[in-house]
C-alpha cells in the first residue's frame, strides 16, 4: 500500500499507462494480436509449425500496417498459431491436471508440503498470467523455469518427494 510513495515517477507513469490504448506498446501488441487471430482463423487445426521462423514466414502475410513482430506477444496465441487447437487444449489440459492433482493429493493429504506446492502454484499462475501479455517462452531460461516448476509440482503431487521439515530429506 505504501510502495507507490517510494516508486520513481517514471515507474508510476508506466503503471498508470498499463490499460491505455494511447501507449505505443499497448497499441503495438493489440495490432499484433489482431493479426495473430487472423492467422489462427486460417491455421486453427494444424498451426503453422514450431518456432519463430515458422511464425515469421507466415506472419508477413497477416501483419497489419507493417507492424513487424517476431512472435505474437501472447503465450496462448503463439501456441495456438504454432500448434493449432490441439496444442492449446493440450497445454490447458496439462496445467489443469497438474493443478488438480496437486490440490487433491498435496493439500488434502500433507498440509506441510502444501505450503511448498502453494508457492510453486503461485509461481506458475504468475507465469501463465504474464503469458496473457507477452510470449514468455521466447527465452529458454523462462520456459525452462516453467517446466521445472510444473515437474516439481507433479513430483510433490505424486508423493515421490517427501520432507521431514527438520532439515532431513526422507526420500
Amino acid at each position: 500500500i505504501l510502495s507507490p510513495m517510494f516508486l520513481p515517477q517514471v515507474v508510476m507513469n508506466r503503471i498508470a499507462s498499463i490499460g491505455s490504448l494511447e501507449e505505443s506498446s499497448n497499441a503495438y501488441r493489440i495490432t499484433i494480436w489482431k493479426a495473430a487471430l487472423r492467422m489462427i482463423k486460417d491455421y486453427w487445426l494444424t498451426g503453422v509449425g514450431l518456432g519463430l521462423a515458422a511464425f515469421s514466414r507466415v506472419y508477413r502475410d497477416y501483419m497489419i500496417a507493417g507492424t513487424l513482430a517476431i512472435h505474437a506477444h501472447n503465450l496462448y496465441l503463439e501456441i495456438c498459431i504454432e500448434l493449432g487447437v490441439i496444442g492449446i487444449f493440450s497445454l490447458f489440459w496439462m496445467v489443469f491436471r497438474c493443478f488438480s492433482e496437486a490440490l487433491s493429493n498435496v493439500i488434502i493429504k500433507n498440509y506441510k508440503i502444501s505450503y511448498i506446492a502453494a508457492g510453486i502454484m503461485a509461481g506458475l499462475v504468475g507465469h501463465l498470467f504474464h503469458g496473457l501479455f507477452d510470449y514468455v517462452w521466447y527465452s529458454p531460461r523462462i520456459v525452462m523455469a516453467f517446466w521445472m516448476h510444473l515437474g516439481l509440482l507433479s513430483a510433490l503431487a505424486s508423493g515421490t518427494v517427501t520432507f521431514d521439515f527438520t532439515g532431513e530429506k526422507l526420500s
Side-chain angles (χ1 to χ4, degrees), residues 94-110 113-118 120-121 124 148-163:
M94 179 181 55
V95 169
F96 171 77
R97 289 291 299 157
C98 187
F99 274 53
S100 65
E101 286 292 318
L103 287 172
S104 64
N105 289 337
V106 174
I107 293 174
I108 294 171
K109 294 180 182 174
N110 188 340
I113 290 181
S114 69
Y115 296 120
I116 297 169
I120 294 170
M121 283 190 278
L124 283 169
M148 254 180 18
H149 286 107
L150 205 67
L152 287 169
L153 192 59
S154 295
L156 285 174
S158 70
T160 58
V161 177
T162 56
F163 292 92

PDB file of all heavy atoms in Angstrom, residues 94-110 113-118 120-121 124 148-163:
ATOM      1  N   MET A  94      -2.976 -30.139 -19.550  1.00  0.00           N
ATOM      2  CA  MET A  94      -1.825 -30.498 -18.741  1.00  0.00           C
ATOM      3  C   MET A  94      -1.737 -29.625 -17.482  1.00  0.00           C
ATOM      4  O   MET A  94      -1.532 -30.141 -16.379  1.00  0.00           O
ATOM      5  CB  MET A  94      -0.550 -30.343 -19.577  1.00  0.00           C
ATOM      6  CG  MET A  94       0.707 -30.661 -18.841  1.00  0.00           C
ATOM      7  SD  MET A  94       2.153 -30.425 -19.857  1.00  0.00           S
ATOM      8  CE  MET A  94       1.952 -28.733 -20.372  1.00  0.00           C
ATOM      9  N   VAL A  95      -1.917 -28.329 -17.632  1.00  0.00           N
ATOM     10  CA  VAL A  95      -1.844 -27.426 -16.476  1.00  0.00           C
ATOM     11  C   VAL A  95      -3.008 -27.711 -15.520  1.00  0.00           C
ATOM     12  O   VAL A  95      -2.814 -27.777 -14.303  1.00  0.00           O
ATOM     13  CB  VAL A  95      -1.831 -25.956 -16.936  1.00  0.00           C
ATOM     14  CG1 VAL A  95      -2.022 -25.014 -15.764  1.00  0.00           C
ATOM     15  CG2 VAL A  95      -0.529 -25.644 -17.665  1.00  0.00           C
ATOM     16  N   PHE A  96      -4.198 -27.924 -16.059  1.00  0.00           N
ATOM     17  CA  PHE A  96      -5.355 -28.234 -15.217  1.00  0.00           C
ATOM     18  C   PHE A  96      -5.126 -29.518 -14.424  1.00  0.00           C
ATOM     19  O   PHE A  96      -5.368 -29.560 -13.219  1.00  0.00           O
ATOM     20  CB  PHE A  96      -6.622 -28.353 -16.071  1.00  0.00           C
ATOM     21  CG  PHE A  96      -7.795 -28.871 -15.312  1.00  0.00           C
ATOM     22  CD1 PHE A  96      -8.490 -28.045 -14.442  1.00  0.00           C
ATOM     23  CD2 PHE A  96      -8.199 -30.189 -15.450  1.00  0.00           C
ATOM     24  CE1 PHE A  96      -9.572 -28.531 -13.714  1.00  0.00           C
ATOM     25  CE2 PHE A  96      -9.268 -30.683 -14.730  1.00  0.00           C
ATOM     26  CZ  PHE A  96      -9.962 -29.847 -13.865  1.00  0.00           C
ATOM     27  N   ARG A  97      -4.649 -30.562 -15.088  1.00  0.00           N
ATOM     28  CA  ARG A  97      -4.421 -31.844 -14.410  1.00  0.00           C
ATOM     29  C   ARG A  97      -3.341 -31.710 -13.333  1.00  0.00           C
ATOM     30  O   ARG A  97      -3.475 -32.259 -12.241  1.00  0.00           O
ATOM     31  CB  ARG A  97      -4.010 -32.931 -15.414  1.00  0.00           C
ATOM     32  CG  ARG A  97      -5.130 -33.378 -16.316  1.00  0.00           C
ATOM     33  CD  ARG A  97      -6.192 -34.142 -15.596  1.00  0.00           C
ATOM     34  NE  ARG A  97      -5.606 -35.342 -15.027  1.00  0.00           N
ATOM     35  CZ  ARG A  97      -6.097 -36.005 -13.999  1.00  0.00           C
ATOM     36  NH1 ARG A  97      -7.196 -35.615 -13.430  1.00  0.00           N
ATOM     37  NH2 ARG A  97      -5.505 -37.080 -13.550  1.00  0.00           N
ATOM     38  N   CYS A  98      -2.289 -30.985 -13.641  1.00  0.00           N
ATOM     39  CA  CYS A  98      -1.202 -30.809 -12.670  1.00  0.00           C
ATOM     40  C   CYS A  98      -1.709 -30.067 -11.435  1.00  0.00           C
ATOM     41  O   CYS A  98      -1.449 -30.484 -10.310  1.00  0.00           O
ATOM     42  CB  CYS A  98      -0.050 -30.059 -13.322  1.00  0.00           C
ATOM     43  SG  CYS A  98       1.410 -29.977 -12.285  1.00  0.00           S
ATOM     44  N   PHE A  99      -2.469 -28.994 -11.659  1.00  0.00           N
ATOM     45  CA  PHE A  99      -3.005 -28.239 -10.533  1.00  0.00           C
ATOM     46  C   PHE A  99      -4.023 -29.058  -9.743  1.00  0.00           C
ATOM     47  O   PHE A  99      -4.013 -29.045  -8.516  1.00  0.00           O
ATOM     48  CB  PHE A  99      -3.642 -26.935 -11.015  1.00  0.00           C
ATOM     49  CG  PHE A  99      -2.672 -25.802 -11.167  1.00  0.00           C
ATOM     50  CD1 PHE A  99      -1.525 -25.938 -11.922  1.00  0.00           C
ATOM     51  CD2 PHE A  99      -2.907 -24.594 -10.561  1.00  0.00           C
ATOM     52  CE1 PHE A  99      -0.628 -24.903 -12.076  1.00  0.00           C
ATOM     53  CE2 PHE A  99      -2.027 -23.542 -10.705  1.00  0.00           C
ATOM     54  CZ  PHE A  99      -0.879 -23.701 -11.457  1.00  0.00           C
ATOM     55  N   SER A 100      -4.893 -29.766 -10.431  1.00  0.00           N
ATOM     56  CA  SER A 100      -5.912 -30.539  -9.708  1.00  0.00           C
ATOM     57  C   SER A 100      -5.290 -31.689  -8.921  1.00  0.00           C
ATOM     58  O   SER A 100      -5.708 -31.970  -7.797  1.00  0.00           O
ATOM     59  CB  SER A 100      -6.991 -31.049 -10.667  1.00  0.00           C
ATOM     60  OG  SER A 100      -6.459 -31.964 -11.593  1.00  0.00           O
ATOM     61  N   GLU A 101      -4.276 -32.349  -9.490  1.00  0.00           N
ATOM     62  CA  GLU A 101      -3.579 -33.414  -8.760  1.00  0.00           C
ATOM     63  C   GLU A 101      -2.871 -32.849  -7.533  1.00  0.00           C
ATOM     64  O   GLU A 101      -2.898 -33.443  -6.462  1.00  0.00           O
ATOM     65  CB  GLU A 101      -2.571 -34.119  -9.668  1.00  0.00           C
ATOM     66  CG  GLU A 101      -3.194 -35.030 -10.691  1.00  0.00           C
ATOM     67  CD  GLU A 101      -3.844 -36.244 -10.073  1.00  0.00           C
ATOM     68  OE1 GLU A 101      -3.255 -36.845  -9.146  1.00  0.00           O
ATOM     69  OE2 GLU A 101      -4.953 -36.595 -10.511  1.00  0.00           O
ATOM     70  N   ALA A 102      -2.236 -31.711  -7.711  1.00  0.00           N
ATOM     71  CA  ALA A 102      -1.523 -31.099  -6.582  1.00  0.00           C
ATOM     72  C   ALA A 102      -2.500 -30.702  -5.492  1.00  0.00           C
ATOM     73  O   ALA A 102      -2.237 -30.922  -4.310  1.00  0.00           O
ATOM     74  CB  ALA A 102      -0.723 -29.889  -7.061  1.00  0.00           C
ATOM     75  N   LEU A 103      -3.611 -30.118  -5.883  1.00  0.00           N
ATOM     76  CA  LEU A 103      -4.592 -29.702  -4.880  1.00  0.00           C
ATOM     77  C   LEU A 103      -5.180 -30.898  -4.146  1.00  0.00           C
ATOM     78  O   LEU A 103      -5.327 -30.874  -2.928  1.00  0.00           O
ATOM     79  CB  LEU A 103      -5.709 -28.886  -5.537  1.00  0.00           C
ATOM     80  CG  LEU A 103      -5.313 -27.477  -5.961  1.00  0.00           C
ATOM     81  CD1 LEU A 103      -6.433 -26.848  -6.776  1.00  0.00           C
ATOM     82  CD2 LEU A 103      -4.989 -26.622  -4.753  1.00  0.00           C
ATOM     83  N   SER A 104      -5.505 -31.954  -4.871  1.00  0.00           N
ATOM     84  CA  SER A 104      -6.141 -33.097  -4.216  1.00  0.00           C
ATOM     85  C   SER A 104      -5.149 -33.946  -3.422  1.00  0.00           C
ATOM     86  O   SER A 104      -5.478 -34.417  -2.344  1.00  0.00           O
ATOM     87  CB  SER A 104      -6.877 -33.964  -5.235  1.00  0.00           C
ATOM     88  OG  SER A 104      -5.960 -34.524  -6.145  1.00  0.00           O
ATOM     89  N   ASN A 105      -3.944 -34.135  -3.924  1.00  0.00           N
ATOM     90  CA  ASN A 105      -3.000 -35.020  -3.243  1.00  0.00           C
ATOM     91  C   ASN A 105      -2.156 -34.327  -2.191  1.00  0.00           C
ATOM     92  O   ASN A 105      -1.908 -34.877  -1.134  1.00  0.00           O
ATOM     93  CB  ASN A 105      -2.066 -35.687  -4.255  1.00  0.00           C
ATOM     94  CG  ASN A 105      -2.792 -36.708  -5.093  1.00  0.00           C
ATOM     95  OD1 ASN A 105      -3.833 -37.225  -4.693  1.00  0.00           O
ATOM     96  ND2 ASN A 105      -2.282 -36.979  -6.272  1.00  0.00           N
ATOM     97  N   VAL A 106      -1.701 -33.141  -2.474  1.00  0.00           N
ATOM     98  CA  VAL A 106      -0.771 -32.479  -1.562  1.00  0.00           C
ATOM     99  C   VAL A 106      -1.505 -31.753  -0.451  1.00  0.00           C
ATOM    100  O   VAL A 106      -1.239 -31.960   0.727  1.00  0.00           O
ATOM    101  CB  VAL A 106       0.152 -31.511  -2.337  1.00  0.00           C
ATOM    102  CG1 VAL A 106       1.005 -30.713  -1.394  1.00  0.00           C
ATOM    103  CG2 VAL A 106       1.017 -32.286  -3.309  1.00  0.00           C
ATOM    104  N   ILE A 107      -2.417 -30.906  -0.799  1.00  0.00           N
ATOM    105  CA  ILE A 107      -3.048 -30.050   0.199  1.00  0.00           C
ATOM    106  C   ILE A 107      -3.933 -30.854   1.144  1.00  0.00           C
ATOM    107  O   ILE A 107      -3.952 -30.612   2.346  1.00  0.00           O
ATOM    108  CB  ILE A 107      -3.818 -28.904  -0.479  1.00  0.00           C
ATOM    109  CG1 ILE A 107      -2.805 -27.984  -1.166  1.00  0.00           C
ATOM    110  CG2 ILE A 107      -4.669 -28.132   0.505  1.00  0.00           C
ATOM    111  CD1 ILE A 107      -3.402 -26.882  -1.989  1.00  0.00           C
ATOM    112  N   ILE A 108      -4.629 -31.822   0.617  1.00  0.00           N
ATOM    113  CA  ILE A 108      -5.524 -32.607   1.465  1.00  0.00           C
ATOM    114  C   ILE A 108      -4.741 -33.600   2.324  1.00  0.00           C
ATOM    115  O   ILE A 108      -5.024 -33.773   3.500  1.00  0.00           O
ATOM    116  CB  ILE A 108      -6.582 -33.336   0.606  1.00  0.00           C
ATOM    117  CG1 ILE A 108      -7.495 -32.294  -0.035  1.00  0.00           C
ATOM    118  CG2 ILE A 108      -7.364 -34.335   1.429  1.00  0.00           C
ATOM    119  CD1 ILE A 108      -8.434 -32.855  -1.069  1.00  0.00           C
ATOM    120  N   LYS A 109      -3.704 -34.240   1.757  1.00  0.00           N
ATOM    121  CA  LYS A 109      -3.008 -35.304   2.471  1.00  0.00           C
ATOM    122  C   LYS A 109      -1.835 -34.835   3.325  1.00  0.00           C
ATOM    123  O   LYS A 109      -1.498 -35.465   4.308  1.00  0.00           O
ATOM    124  CB  LYS A 109      -2.506 -36.340   1.461  1.00  0.00           C
ATOM    125  CG  LYS A 109      -3.634 -37.071   0.770  1.00  0.00           C
ATOM    126  CD  LYS A 109      -3.099 -38.066  -0.217  1.00  0.00           C
ATOM    127  CE  LYS A 109      -4.238 -38.753  -0.947  1.00  0.00           C
ATOM    128  NZ  LYS A 109      -3.781 -39.617  -2.006  1.00  0.00           N
ATOM    129  N   ASN A 110      -1.160 -33.770   2.919  1.00  0.00           N
ATOM    130  CA  ASN A 110       0.031 -33.342   3.648  1.00  0.00           C
ATOM    131  C   ASN A 110       0.070 -31.819   3.693  1.00  0.00           C
ATOM    132  O   ASN A 110       0.552 -31.178   2.771  1.00  0.00           O
ATOM    133  CB  ASN A 110       1.282 -33.901   2.964  1.00  0.00           C
ATOM    134  CG  ASN A 110       2.535 -33.666   3.779  1.00  0.00           C
ATOM    135  OD1 ASN A 110       2.570 -32.801   4.648  1.00  0.00           O
ATOM    136  ND2 ASN A 110       3.572 -34.431   3.499  1.00  0.00           N
ATOM    137  N   ILE A 113       3.663 -29.963   3.168  1.00  0.00           N
ATOM    138  CA  ILE A 113       4.147 -29.839   1.791  1.00  0.00           C
ATOM    139  C   ILE A 113       3.223 -28.921   0.997  1.00  0.00           C
ATOM    140  O   ILE A 113       3.617 -28.354  -0.016  1.00  0.00           O
ATOM    141  CB  ILE A 113       4.277 -31.229   1.137  1.00  0.00           C
ATOM    142  CG1 ILE A 113       5.439 -31.972   1.787  1.00  0.00           C
ATOM    143  CG2 ILE A 113       4.508 -31.121  -0.354  1.00  0.00           C
ATOM    144  CD1 ILE A 113       5.706 -33.339   1.233  1.00  0.00           C
ATOM    145  N   SER A 114       2.014 -28.733   1.477  1.00  0.00           N
ATOM    146  CA  SER A 114       1.090 -27.869   0.749  1.00  0.00           C
ATOM    147  C   SER A 114       1.605 -26.438   0.664  1.00  0.00           C
ATOM    148  O   SER A 114       1.294 -25.726  -0.285  1.00  0.00           O
ATOM    149  CB  SER A 114      -0.297 -27.894   1.394  1.00  0.00           C
ATOM    150  OG  SER A 114      -0.290 -27.259   2.646  1.00  0.00           O
ATOM    151  N   TYR A 115       2.420 -26.014   1.619  1.00  0.00           N
ATOM    152  CA  TYR A 115       2.993 -24.673   1.550  1.00  0.00           C
ATOM    153  C   TYR A 115       3.961 -24.563   0.370  1.00  0.00           C
ATOM    154  O   TYR A 115       3.987 -23.555  -0.337  1.00  0.00           O
ATOM    155  CB  TYR A 115       3.708 -24.309   2.857  1.00  0.00           C
ATOM    156  CG  TYR A 115       2.781 -24.238   4.041  1.00  0.00           C
ATOM    157  CD1 TYR A 115       2.968 -25.060   5.138  1.00  0.00           C
ATOM    158  CD2 TYR A 115       1.716 -23.340   4.043  1.00  0.00           C
ATOM    159  CE1 TYR A 115       2.117 -24.993   6.228  1.00  0.00           C
ATOM    160  CE2 TYR A 115       0.863 -23.271   5.131  1.00  0.00           C
ATOM    161  CZ  TYR A 115       1.065 -24.101   6.218  1.00  0.00           C
ATOM    162  OH  TYR A 115       0.214 -24.026   7.285  1.00  0.00           O
ATOM    163  N   ILE A 116       4.763 -25.587   0.181  1.00  0.00           N
ATOM    164  CA  ILE A 116       5.690 -25.609  -0.951  1.00  0.00           C
ATOM    165  C   ILE A 116       4.900 -25.655  -2.257  1.00  0.00           C
ATOM    166  O   ILE A 116       5.183 -24.931  -3.205  1.00  0.00           O
ATOM    167  CB  ILE A 116       6.651 -26.812  -0.844  1.00  0.00           C
ATOM    168  CG1 ILE A 116       7.508 -26.684   0.405  1.00  0.00           C
ATOM    169  CG2 ILE A 116       7.512 -26.936  -2.092  1.00  0.00           C
ATOM    170  CD1 ILE A 116       8.300 -27.916   0.751  1.00  0.00           C
ATOM    171  N   ALA A 117       3.884 -26.524  -2.304  1.00  0.00           N
ATOM    172  CA  ALA A 117       3.053 -26.640  -3.508  1.00  0.00           C
ATOM    173  C   ALA A 117       2.343 -25.331  -3.806  1.00  0.00           C
ATOM    174  O   ALA A 117       2.245 -24.926  -4.968  1.00  0.00           O
ATOM    175  CB  ALA A 117       2.044 -27.778  -3.333  1.00  0.00           C
ATOM    176  N   ALA A 118       1.865 -24.652  -2.778  1.00  0.00           N
ATOM    177  CA  ALA A 118       1.184 -23.371  -2.990  1.00  0.00           C
ATOM    178  C   ALA A 118       2.143 -22.344  -3.579  1.00  0.00           C
ATOM    179  O   ALA A 118       1.772 -21.568  -4.463  1.00  0.00           O
ATOM    180  CB  ALA A 118       0.603 -22.855  -1.674  1.00  0.00           C
ATOM    181  N   ILE A 120       4.813 -23.004  -5.459  1.00  0.00           N
ATOM    182  CA  ILE A 120       5.066 -23.398  -6.854  1.00  0.00           C
ATOM    183  C   ILE A 120       3.863 -23.049  -7.721  1.00  0.00           C
ATOM    184  O   ILE A 120       4.006 -22.520  -8.835  1.00  0.00           O
ATOM    185  CB  ILE A 120       5.406 -24.901  -6.939  1.00  0.00           C
ATOM    186  CG1 ILE A 120       6.727 -25.178  -6.231  1.00  0.00           C
ATOM    187  CG2 ILE A 120       5.476 -25.352  -8.401  1.00  0.00           C
ATOM    188  CD1 ILE A 120       7.033 -26.649  -6.051  1.00  0.00           C
ATOM    189  N   MET A 121       2.660 -23.325  -7.219  1.00  0.00           N
ATOM    190  CA  MET A 121       1.452 -22.982  -7.994  1.00  0.00           C
ATOM    191  C   MET A 121       1.331 -21.482  -8.196  1.00  0.00           C
ATOM    192  O   MET A 121       0.949 -21.024  -9.267  1.00  0.00           O
ATOM    193  CB  MET A 121       0.201 -23.538  -7.309  1.00  0.00           C
ATOM    194  CG  MET A 121       0.016 -25.020  -7.523  1.00  0.00           C
ATOM    195  SD  MET A 121      -1.594 -25.619  -6.978  1.00  0.00           S
ATOM    196  CE  MET A 121      -1.318 -25.817  -5.243  1.00  0.00           C
ATOM    197  N   LEU A 124       3.586 -20.566 -10.985  1.00  0.00           N
ATOM    198  CA  LEU A 124       3.016 -20.975 -12.271  1.00  0.00           C
ATOM    199  C   LEU A 124       1.854 -20.069 -12.684  1.00  0.00           C
ATOM    200  O   LEU A 124       1.722 -19.712 -13.852  1.00  0.00           O
ATOM    201  CB  LEU A 124       2.561 -22.435 -12.215  1.00  0.00           C
ATOM    202  CG  LEU A 124       3.677 -23.462 -12.298  1.00  0.00           C
ATOM    203  CD1 LEU A 124       3.145 -24.853 -11.956  1.00  0.00           C
ATOM    204  CD2 LEU A 124       4.311 -23.462 -13.673  1.00  0.00           C
ATOM    205  N   MET A 148      10.304 -26.727 -15.139  1.00  0.00           N
ATOM    206  CA  MET A 148      10.841 -27.173 -13.849  1.00  0.00           C
ATOM    207  C   MET A 148       9.788 -27.067 -12.756  1.00  0.00           C
ATOM    208  O   MET A 148       9.612 -27.992 -11.956  1.00  0.00           O
ATOM    209  CB  MET A 148      12.052 -26.325 -13.465  1.00  0.00           C
ATOM    210  CG  MET A 148      13.363 -27.034 -13.626  1.00  0.00           C
ATOM    211  SD  MET A 148      14.823 -26.067 -13.184  1.00  0.00           S
ATOM    212  CE  MET A 148      14.278 -24.734 -12.199  1.00  0.00           C
ATOM    213  N   HIS A 149       9.086 -25.945 -12.704  1.00  0.00           N
ATOM    214  CA  HIS A 149       8.048 -25.769 -11.695  1.00  0.00           C
ATOM    215  C   HIS A 149       6.918 -26.776 -11.895  1.00  0.00           C
ATOM    216  O   HIS A 149       6.393 -27.328 -10.926  1.00  0.00           O
ATOM    217  CB  HIS A 149       7.503 -24.342 -11.711  1.00  0.00           C
ATOM    218  CG  HIS A 149       8.443 -23.364 -11.123  1.00  0.00           C
ATOM    219  ND1 HIS A 149       9.144 -22.468 -11.871  1.00  0.00           N
ATOM    220  CD2 HIS A 149       8.830 -23.155  -9.836  1.00  0.00           C
ATOM    221  CE1 HIS A 149       9.912 -21.741 -11.092  1.00  0.00           C
ATOM    222  NE2 HIS A 149       9.741 -22.133  -9.849  1.00  0.00           N
ATOM    223  N   LEU A 150       6.539 -27.008 -13.137  1.00  0.00           N
ATOM    224  CA  LEU A 150       5.484 -27.992 -13.409  1.00  0.00           C
ATOM    225  C   LEU A 150       5.942 -29.390 -12.980  1.00  0.00           C
ATOM    226  O   LEU A 150       5.168 -30.147 -12.379  1.00  0.00           O
ATOM    227  CB  LEU A 150       5.112 -27.968 -14.892  1.00  0.00           C
ATOM    228  CG  LEU A 150       3.729 -28.441 -15.243  1.00  0.00           C
ATOM    229  CD1 LEU A 150       2.672 -27.491 -14.692  1.00  0.00           C
ATOM    230  CD2 LEU A 150       3.570 -28.545 -16.748  1.00  0.00           C
ATOM    231  N   GLY A 151       7.200 -29.716 -13.247  1.00  0.00           N
ATOM    232  CA  GLY A 151       7.749 -31.014 -12.834  1.00  0.00           C
ATOM    233  C   GLY A 151       7.824 -31.149 -11.322  1.00  0.00           C
ATOM    234  O   GLY A 151       7.502 -32.209 -10.765  1.00  0.00           O
ATOM    235  N   LEU A 152       8.259 -30.094 -10.647  1.00  0.00           N
ATOM    236  CA  LEU A 152       8.310 -30.130  -9.181  1.00  0.00           C
ATOM    237  C   LEU A 152       6.925 -30.315  -8.581  1.00  0.00           C
ATOM    238  O   LEU A 152       6.738 -31.078  -7.631  1.00  0.00           O
ATOM    239  CB  LEU A 152       8.945 -28.847  -8.642  1.00  0.00           C
ATOM    240  CG  LEU A 152      10.444 -28.692  -8.821  1.00  0.00           C
ATOM    241  CD1 LEU A 152      10.879 -27.271  -8.495  1.00  0.00           C
ATOM    242  CD2 LEU A 152      11.186 -29.698  -7.964  1.00  0.00           C
ATOM    243  N   LEU A 153       5.960 -29.614  -9.134  1.00  0.00           N
ATOM    244  CA  LEU A 153       4.591 -29.735  -8.640  1.00  0.00           C
ATOM    245  C   LEU A 153       4.065 -31.146  -8.873  1.00  0.00           C
ATOM    246  O   LEU A 153       3.410 -31.727  -8.001  1.00  0.00           O
ATOM    247  CB  LEU A 153       3.696 -28.699  -9.319  1.00  0.00           C
ATOM    248  CG  LEU A 153       2.320 -28.491  -8.724  1.00  0.00           C
ATOM    249  CD1 LEU A 153       2.414 -28.056  -7.269  1.00  0.00           C
ATOM    250  CD2 LEU A 153       1.559 -27.451  -9.532  1.00  0.00           C
ATOM    251  N   SER A 154       4.377 -31.723 -10.015  1.00  0.00           N
ATOM    252  CA  SER A 154       3.952 -33.101 -10.305  1.00  0.00           C
ATOM    253  C   SER A 154       4.616 -34.082  -9.344  1.00  0.00           C
ATOM    254  O   SER A 154       3.978 -35.030  -8.882  1.00  0.00           O
ATOM    255  CB  SER A 154       4.297 -33.471 -11.747  1.00  0.00           C
ATOM    256  OG  SER A 154       3.574 -32.698 -12.645  1.00  0.00           O
ATOM    257  N   ALA A 155       5.896 -33.862  -9.046  1.00  0.00           N
ATOM    258  CA  ALA A 155       6.595 -34.748  -8.118  1.00  0.00           C
ATOM    259  C   ALA A 155       6.001 -34.650  -6.715  1.00  0.00           C
ATOM    260  O   ALA A 155       5.825 -35.665  -6.035  1.00  0.00           O
ATOM    261  CB  ALA A 155       8.082 -34.405  -8.090  1.00  0.00           C
ATOM    262  N   LEU A 156       5.693 -33.435  -6.285  1.00  0.00           N
ATOM    263  CA  LEU A 156       5.059 -33.278  -4.973  1.00  0.00           C
ATOM    264  C   LEU A 156       3.701 -33.963  -4.935  1.00  0.00           C
ATOM    265  O   LEU A 156       3.347 -34.622  -3.955  1.00  0.00           O
ATOM    266  CB  LEU A 156       4.902 -31.804  -4.627  1.00  0.00           C
ATOM    267  CG  LEU A 156       6.154 -31.051  -4.200  1.00  0.00           C
ATOM    268  CD1 LEU A 156       5.846 -29.572  -4.034  1.00  0.00           C
ATOM    269  CD2 LEU A 156       6.715 -31.624  -2.916  1.00  0.00           C
ATOM    270  N   ALA A 157       2.934 -33.802  -6.008  1.00  0.00           N
ATOM    271  CA  ALA A 157       1.591 -34.381  -6.042  1.00  0.00           C
ATOM    272  C   ALA A 157       1.631 -35.902  -6.086  1.00  0.00           C
ATOM    273  O   ALA A 157       0.762 -36.566  -5.535  1.00  0.00           O
ATOM    274  CB  ALA A 157       0.828 -33.843  -7.248  1.00  0.00           C
ATOM    275  N   SER A 158       2.660 -36.463  -6.720  1.00  0.00           N
ATOM    276  CA  SER A 158       2.733 -37.921  -6.835  1.00  0.00           C
ATOM    277  C   SER A 158       3.211 -38.583  -5.552  1.00  0.00           C
ATOM    278  O   SER A 158       3.093 -39.790  -5.390  1.00  0.00           O
ATOM    279  CB  SER A 158       3.660 -38.311  -7.983  1.00  0.00           C
ATOM    280  OG  SER A 158       5.006 -38.013  -7.646  1.00  0.00           O
ATOM    281  N   GLY A 159       3.776 -37.794  -4.651  1.00  0.00           N
ATOM    282  CA  GLY A 159       4.248 -38.362  -3.395  1.00  0.00           C
ATOM    283  C   GLY A 159       5.653 -38.911  -3.476  1.00  0.00           C
ATOM    284  O   GLY A 159       6.135 -39.535  -2.537  1.00  0.00           O
ATOM    285  N   THR A 160       6.357 -38.704  -4.595  1.00  0.00           N
ATOM    286  CA  THR A 160       7.720 -39.222  -4.721  1.00  0.00           C
ATOM    287  C   THR A 160       8.730 -38.367  -3.963  1.00  0.00           C
ATOM    288  O   THR A 160       9.843 -38.792  -3.743  1.00  0.00           O
ATOM    289  CB  THR A 160       8.144 -39.296  -6.205  1.00  0.00           C
ATOM    290  OG1 THR A 160       8.037 -37.996  -6.782  1.00  0.00           O
ATOM    291  CG2 THR A 160       7.273 -40.275  -6.969  1.00  0.00           C
ATOM    292  N   VAL A 161       8.340 -37.181  -3.560  1.00  0.00           N
ATOM    293  CA  VAL A 161       9.218 -36.304  -2.784  1.00  0.00           C
ATOM    294  C   VAL A 161       8.519 -36.015  -1.465  1.00  0.00           C
ATOM    295  O   VAL A 161       7.398 -35.529  -1.438  1.00  0.00           O
ATOM    296  CB  VAL A 161       9.489 -34.980  -3.532  1.00  0.00           C
ATOM    297  CG1 VAL A 161      10.327 -34.056  -2.678  1.00  0.00           C
ATOM    298  CG2 VAL A 161      10.150 -35.249  -4.859  1.00  0.00           C
ATOM    299  N   THR A 162       9.178 -36.333  -0.367  1.00  0.00           N
ATOM    300  CA  THR A 162       8.622 -36.018   0.945  1.00  0.00           C
ATOM    301  C   THR A 162       9.714 -35.406   1.797  1.00  0.00           C
ATOM    302  O   THR A 162      10.901 -35.692   1.616  1.00  0.00           O
ATOM    303  CB  THR A 162       8.079 -37.275   1.659  1.00  0.00           C
ATOM    304  OG1 THR A 162       9.122 -38.236   1.748  1.00  0.00           O
ATOM    305  CG2 THR A 162       6.888 -37.854   0.914  1.00  0.00           C
ATOM    306  N   PHE A 163       9.324 -34.563   2.741  1.00  0.00           N
ATOM    307  CA  PHE A 163      10.282 -33.906   3.612  1.00  0.00           C
ATOM    308  C   PHE A 163       9.829 -34.053   5.057  1.00  0.00           C
ATOM    309  O   PHE A 163       8.652 -34.107   5.351  1.00  0.00           O
ATOM    310  CB  PHE A 163      10.386 -32.413   3.282  1.00  0.00           C
ATOM    311  CG  PHE A 163      11.010 -32.149   1.941  1.00  0.00           C
ATOM    312  CD1 PHE A 163      10.217 -32.023   0.825  1.00  0.00           C
ATOM    313  CD2 PHE A 163      12.381 -32.064   1.819  1.00  0.00           C
ATOM    314  CE1 PHE A 163      10.792 -31.786  -0.410  1.00  0.00           C
ATOM    315  CE2 PHE A 163      12.963 -31.820   0.585  1.00  0.00           C
ATOM    316  CZ  PHE A 163      12.158 -31.687  -0.530  1.00  0.00           C
TER     317      PHE A 163
END
